[in-house]
Amino acid sequence: MKRVVSVSLGSSRRDHAVESEILGTRFRIERIGTNGDLEKAIEIVRSLDGKVDAFGMGGIDLYIVAGKKRYILNDARRIAEAARITPIVDGSGLKNTLERRSIKYLQEKGIIDFRDKNTLLVCGVDRFGMAEALEESGANVTFGDLIFGLNVPVPIRSLRTLAGVARVLGPLVSRLPFKYLYPTGDKQDVITTRFCKYYEENEIIAGDFHYIKRYMPEDLRNKIIITNTVIKEDIETLGKRGAQILITTTPEFQGRSFGTNVMEAVLVTLLDKPVKEITEEDYHTILDQVGFLPRIIYLPKVLTA
């Protein structure tokens, strides 16, 4: 049996383990949260290096991506360097492939017509594949990178502007401790309504769930949420706040949609190639074989008008 472990800076309350068979291979897939403790994450990776088949790096991205430019995050580099034998991935390979395919699938199947839909992508540099796919689908996209990542209430209205902002700020932001950019540990359970108006202005809310959750208002009536890494408690919360549809870009495993880092680690194991040699085409080929499709949940409307 292959063993895949996601080591996350997120809360240990979200830890989970499942066993499943994918393309004839049995997997044990685990998620270990470190409650925001970077040193603990590094130590876990060191202790399991060479003993598991692949690592996912959760709660943090290795890169900020904008167009052809990539800026490596210092804290993420430290975690990645702790794995000297076992391959480690952060999910960016699937964000660039699976998440593009998910948006295209939803449009082609008539599940969501993105054309002219006001859409908030909470962080575009975290999900540049989804960002490009949303613009190509005709959505009116607001990128919340400055709002949610840096607490600067300035919406970005185009990919071109986002790429320009990333080129200016990327070299500086990539050196900051990650805890200043993203909710980790217990902060993932704190919700503030500071940026409610950006939810109110948009029909679709997309991107990283912890950004979505941290700033979501009480009233999410008729909103469509496109994300992943949700647990049962998150689904109930979205339903109670009136969200209409929840779509996760990663499939369900025993009631749980893992993050892209976890699923990418599984696919890397199946591809059996050094991570640096895996191409975008490799990911598309293996995705065709495994047949991952978005998980679509029509949430009960419990809020009254």
Side-chain angles (χ1 to χ4, degrees):
M1 180 182 294
K2 301 285 188 184
R3 185 183 177 195
V4 168
V5 176
S6 171
V7 180
S8 174
L9 291 181
S11 170
S12 58
R13 284 199 315 110
R14 304 174 75 88
D15 286 356
H16 195 56
V18 301
E19 292 186 7
S20 185
E21 184 172 309
I22 301 173
L23 294 182
T25 300
R26 292 291 301 174
F27 280 91
R28 178 175 173 80
I29 305 169
E30 303 168 53
R31 186 262 193 198
I32 303 174
T34 62
N35 301 311
D37 189 333
L38 177 66
E39 300 304 324
K40 184 176 180 180
I42 292 170
E43 183 52 40
I44 291 173
V45 170
R46 280 191 183 131
S47 68
L48 293 177
D49 189 27
K51 300 174 183 174
V52 301
D53 294 282
F55 286 116
M57 185 191 303
I60 187 170
D61 292 324
L62 190 53
Y63 300 103
I64 295 171
V65 181
K68 304 296 182 185
K69 293 281 187 180
R70 297 200 305 179
Y71 304 94
I72 190 166
L73 295 170
N74 271 356
D75 283 352
R77 186 209 311 259
R78 292 186 60 205
I79 298 173
E81 288 178 348
R84 297 182 178 275
I85 301 171
T86 300
I88 185 167
V89 292
D90 69 340
S92 58
L94 285 194
K95 287 176 182 174
N96 191 38
T97 52
L98 176 65
E99 296 204 327
R100 287 180 191 273
R101 294 161 66 113
S102 297
I103 299 299
K104 189 176 180 182
Y105 174 86
L106 295 169
Q107 180 96 340
E108 289 180 348
K109 296 297 182 183
I111 298 166
I112 300 176
D113 184 356
F114 289 98
R115 286 173 295 183
D116 300 321
K117 286 281 196 310
N118 289 337
T119 301
L120 171 65
L121 180 56
V122 289
C123 184
V125 296
D126 167 51
R127 285 179 148 79
F128 213 73
M130 181 181 286
E132 290 185 337
L134 286 170
E135 276 215 344
E136 290 166 5
S137 71
N140 298 320
V141 187
T142 295
F143 301 99
D145 295 62
L146 294 176
I147 303 165
F148 296 90
L150 298 177
N151 284 316
V152 177
V154 176
I156 297 171
R157 305 293 187 186
S158 74
L159 269 177
R160 184 176 179 182
T161 303
L162 176 62
V165 170
R167 278 195 296 273
V168 173
L169 296 181
L172 172 64
V173 168
S174 62
R175 293 184 177 88
L176 293 174
F178 192 66
K179 63 184 179 181
Y180 296 136
L181 306 174
Y182 184 78
T184 59
D186 292 342
K187 289 181 181 177
Q188 293 183 349
D189 295 322
V190 177
I191 299 176
T192 170
T193 54
R194 182 180 176 194
F195 298 129
C196 279
K197 72 173 188 175
Y198 299 106
Y199 291 74
E200 294 166 359
E201 292 171 354
N202 290 278
E203 301 166 72
I204 300 170
I205 313 298
D208 181 273
F209 184 70
H210 291 298
Y211 275 141
I212 293 174
K213 179 182 175 183
R214 183 165 177 76
Y215 296 101
M216 68 182 178
E218 286 290 336
D219 188 352
L220 286 172
R221 274 178 294 183
N222 301 320
K223 303 296 183 187
I224 298 170
I225 313 295
I226 304 175
T227 186
N228 58 39
T229 327
V230 291
I231 60 177
K232 182 181 177 184
E233 176 184 320
D234 301 323
I235 297 171
E236 291 173 352
T237 299
L238 291 170
K240 289 176 181 175
R241 294 181 183 223
Q244 182 183 24
I245 305 173
L246 168 65
I247 297 169
T248 64
T249 56
T250 51
E252 177 185 354
F253 286 91
Q254 299 173 19
R256 175 74 176 267
S257 61
F258 285 105
T260 51
N261 74 90
V262 184
M263 302 321 302
E264 185 174 332
V266 168
L267 298 188
V268 162
T269 301
L270 292 170
L271 286 166
D272 196 24
K273 290 174 67 173
V275 172
K276 288 183 179 178
E277 295 179 15
I278 297 176
T279 65
E280 185 176 327
E281 189 57 37
D282 288 328
Y283 282 120
H284 282 299
T285 299
I286 194 74
L287 285 170
D288 287 340
Q289 294 174 14
V290 298
F292 287 166
L293 293 175
R295 174 192 188 190
I296 302 168
I297 302 173
Y298 294 89
L299 298 161
K301 296 181 180 179
V302 295
L303 291 185
T304 56

